[in-house]
Amino acid sequence: MLNTPIINAVERYLGENNSPFSMPGHKMGRGFLKYKNLYDLLLRGDLTEVEGLDNLHNPEGAIKESLELLKDFYGSKKSYFLVNGSTSGNLIMIFSAFKEGDKILVERNCHKSIFNGIILRKLNPVYINFKINEEFNAPLTLDKEHFCYELENNRDVRGIVLTYPSYYGTSINLKEIVDMCKERNIKVLIDCAHGAHFGVSKLIPENPLNLGADMVVMSAHKTLPSLTQTAFLHINNNISAEDTDFYFSAFSSTSPSYPFMMSLDFSRAYLEEDGKEEYEKLKEECDYIRGKIDKLDLFKTLSSKNLKDKSIIIDPCRIIINVEKEFSGHNLLKYLRKNKVQVEMSDESNVVLIPSPFNTKEEFEEIYRVLERCNIEDIKSENNKIEVVSIPDLIIKPEEILTMGKTSVDYKEAEGKICGKNIVPYPPGIPLIIMGERFNKRIIEKLSELIEDNVTILGMENYKVWVVK
């Protein structure tokens, strides 16, 4: 018998998990059954740029035609297929839009790839903090007051990088932010990883391109029927297509996967032909199950009905389950997974589920049944209060850290030292502290909380962190 640990792990996982409410959007291949031959083609079609096909780096045939359809559907000046994920898209955006030394505003809640792009491009970031919503004890939006303050006090910024929507499917009014930036000729770059389905219906938030964004990256695989590692990049009129072409080529594989591109082509066609009806049905299913969960004593769900702040934009195709302060979102995640309901992530007070049109009615009902059986003792917690961790002081530019000597120390001994490697809880992949920033007492306390909750922490190994010597 072949020794195949990864294959064995996948087979074991598929046998143990019944209700997939995590990425990717195709839900274990169901989405591809919409096209009877695609399921088979995804393996047999693993080809290179042979005669009769096309070249992603110089599209002249089928790929060019597909990209034109993508551009027309989303309303961009030009669109690209990304086979290296949204991570490559975020790097392409940053390198195409900015030059070394540019000052930019950056939402601190951005994905780690944004911060890596800032380091590699040698930009000067001014960070905008996020705001904790007290009703759900979660960072649902950026802090608009802090944004306005930094915008007013940094007249020389060249651009801004924002996340729309957040991992929770939430955002502040993006159109308002874009308009404020446009008044000052500030480029607006959007990491829309979780919003590839946005704009497909008036019942779902708008596509950021239609709100005036200059560059947008979308993870097709998160919410659409597309393979993991696939994404879209879109540019509008304020961005050079020539510059973007260069960095697209620089940050993309020269051996692009045809199964990836087929799935991207399919997900666009699916949205165009069936998307409005399918995502409106998904919204109805999510509304229905949210209504049932809200009647349970231990839980409430994130919705416009349950949220007092009506200015927050909410994706109705995402399910956020909230627990009261004496309970733990992390413990709820463990309970759900133990009962074969696979969810995306948790924080101190919430669990995030990412449904798609390919989840079944039975799977939605199973969420309710599992929650209905939940024992208070399974999800108890002494303290689940999230606090905004203030942005640490930046002592050394992050790019300079790359060439400096570093050593590892126990994280409890890191206070006052300079961070030598980004510390990133994952998911959601948002850095807690970045290279060049100084560890403070609150960062150390937060690391202890994350460790206690068994959260995966990138940049940390055996309770040790890297610091500058």
Side-chain angles (χ1 to χ4, degrees):
M1 186 174 179
L2 294 177
N3 184 13
T4 54
I6 295 176
I7 292 174
N8 295 341
V10 171
E11 287 181 331
R12 184 167 55 250
Y13 172 85
L14 292 175
E16 293 175 354
N17 291 273
N18 296 335
S19 301
F21 286 96
S22 59
M23 298 183 279
H26 62 74
K27 304 304 174 190
M28 298 188 290
R30 297 173 195 164
F32 302 129
L33 296 174
K34 281 275 182 181
Y35 177 64
K36 62 181 179 180
N37 295 324
L38 185 58
Y39 203 94
D40 181 45
L41 280 176
L42 289 177
L43 282 180
R44 293 197 302 114
D46 188 14
L47 303 165
T48 58
E49 294 84 358
V50 295
E51 186 176 355
L53 297 181
D54 201 359
N55 190 320
L56 181 62
H57 290 269
N58 184 33
E60 296 179 335
I63 295 175
K64 180 180 180 181
E65 182 180 355
S66 182
L67 290 173
E68 285 293 318
L69 292 169
L70 180 67
K71 171 183 76 72
D72 292 343
F73 178 75
Y74 281 105
S76 69
K77 179 176 79 170
K78 187 172 183 178
S79 294
Y80 301 79
F81 285 158
L82 301 176
V83 296
N84 294 70
S86 283
T87 291
S88 69
N90 286 335
L91 294 174
I92 294 165
M93 282 203 304
I94 287 171
F95 274 76
S96 301
F98 306 125
K99 292 184 169 39
E100 183 175 328
D102 281 353
K103 181 189 283 188
I104 65 170
L105 299 176
V106 185
E107 186 178 351
R108 185 66 178 203
N109 235 15
C110 280
H111 188 263
K112 67 172 188 171
S113 57
I114 297 291
F115 297 96
N116 289 338
I118 289 168
I119 292 169
L120 293 171
R121 195 53 163 158
K122 298 182 179 179
L123 302 178
N124 293 317
V126 176
Y127 295 118
I128 310 298
N129 223 331
F130 51 86
K131 188 174 183 179
I132 299 295
N133 176 271
E134 293 186 0
E135 295 175 77
F136 283 82
N137 192 32
L140 301 185
T141 67
L142 65 78
D143 187 328
K144 185 179 176 183
E145 184 177 342
H146 188 210
F147 161 75
C148 291
Y149 172 84
E150 295 295 0
L151 186 67
E152 183 64 30
N153 287 276
N154 291 277
R155 294 281 179 161
D156 55 343
V157 297
R158 302 299 301 274
I160 184 170
V161 183
L162 298 171
T163 303
Y164 169 89
S166 70
Y167 231 110
Y168 302 87
T170 56
S171 172
I172 62 172
N173 188 324
L174 181 63
K175 182 67 166 64
E176 185 179 358
I177 298 295
V178 170
D179 288 346
M180 293 172 69
C181 290
K182 292 299 181 182
E183 288 176 4
R184 304 190 182 190
N185 201 29
I186 294 173
K187 293 176 182 176
V188 180
L189 278 57
I190 303 294
D191 179 353
C192 187
H194 290 266
H197 60 300
F198 276 20
V200 73
S201 164
K202 291 182 179 179
L203 302 180
I204 295 171
E206 185 57 271
N207 163 6
L209 289 158
N210 291 337
L211 299 178
D214 294 302
M215 300 189 82
V216 177
V217 169
M218 297 173 169
S219 282
H221 74 93
K222 285 181 168 61
T223 59
L224 306 183
S226 193
L227 291 174
T228 298
Q229 201 176 313
T230 59
F232 302 130
L233 168 65
H234 311 283
I235 63 173
N236 262 336
N237 293 323
N238 199 31
I239 300 296
S240 165
E242 184 178 357
D243 289 348
T244 308
D245 288 348
F246 173 80
Y247 289 111
F248 167 79
S249 182
F251 288 110
S252 299
S253 170
T254 56
S255 299
S257 163
Y258 270 85
F260 283 4
M261 290 187 286
M262 282 192 288
S263 71
L264 284 166
D265 194 24
F266 173 70
S267 64
R268 185 271 315 155
Y270 169 78
L271 271 184
E272 194 165 11
E273 295 176 22
D274 301 321
K276 182 178 184 297
E277 179 182 356
E278 295 273 288
Y279 283 88
E280 287 181 356
K281 284 181 181 177
L282 175 61
K283 176 189 177 298
E284 288 180 12
E285 199 69 57
C286 291
D287 287 343
Y288 170 73
I289 204 65
R290 275 192 289 264
K292 291 191 68 172
I293 293 172
D294 285 341
K295 294 176 182 177
L296 298 174
D297 292 336
L298 296 177
F299 312 106
K300 70 176 177 181
T301 61
L302 178 63
S303 66
S304 56
K305 181 184 73 172
N306 291 336
L307 195 62
K308 293 178 183 177
D309 187 348
K310 303 303 180 185
S311 68
I312 296 177
I313 308 299
I314 300 175
D315 178 7
C317 295
R318 186 149 300 202
I319 298 175
I320 313 299
I321 304 172
N322 177 264
V323 295
E324 296 294 335
K325 62 182 180 180
E326 63 267 29
F327 304 116
S328 163
H330 296 302
N331 288 341
L332 177 57
L333 176 142
K334 294 174 190 174
Y335 169 77
L336 289 169
R337 287 181 174 172
K338 182 179 178 182
N339 285 273
K340 298 187 177 183
V341 176
Q342 180 61 37
V343 302
E344 180 63 28
M345 63 163 279
S346 62
D347 64 26
E348 283 85 342
S349 297
N350 303 277
V351 167
V352 177
L353 289 77
I354 305 182
S356 87
F358 310 108
N359 284 109
T360 65
K361 286 185 176 292
E362 174 61 27
E363 287 168 347
F364 281 101
E365 290 290 351
E366 182 64 12
I367 298 172
Y368 176 78
R369 287 194 292 268
V370 170
L371 292 174
E372 190 180 31
R373 299 194 304 264
C374 184
N375 190 312
I376 288 178
E377 297 300 321
D378 289 329
I379 60 173
K380 265 191 173 179
S381 175
E382 293 182 4
N383 179 26
N384 70 352
K385 178 68 175 175
I386 294 180
E387 299 175 10
V388 175
V389 178
S390 59
I391 299 171
D393 295 330
L394 180 65
I395 308 302
I396 303 172
K397 289 184 177 180
E399 64 268 19
E400 295 177 8
I401 298 294
L402 294 173
T403 58
M404 299 179 72
K406 307 175 192 67
T407 186
S408 62
V409 300
D410 187 287
Y411 80 96
K412 292 181 179 178
E413 299 173 1
E415 185 176 351
K417 295 181 170 58
I418 309 302
C419 179
K421 187 174 182 180
N422 294 349
I423 305 296
V424 186
Y426 199 91
I430 298 164
L432 179 64
I433 182 170
I434 298 167
M435 293 187 300
E437 294 178 341
R438 192 194 301 279
F439 281 96
N440 57 41
K441 182 179 179 181
R442 182 65 190 110
I443 294 292
I444 305 302
E445 291 173 347
K446 185 62 179 177
L447 284 172
S448 293
E449 294 167 10
L450 292 168
I451 290 168
E452 185 177 349
D453 288 323
N454 294 314
V455 174
T456 298
I457 306 173
L458 306 182
M460 186 178 191
E461 189 173 354
N462 296 325
Y463 304 111
K464 289 190 174 184
V465 297
W466 289 95
V467 297
V468 175
K469 285 184 178 179

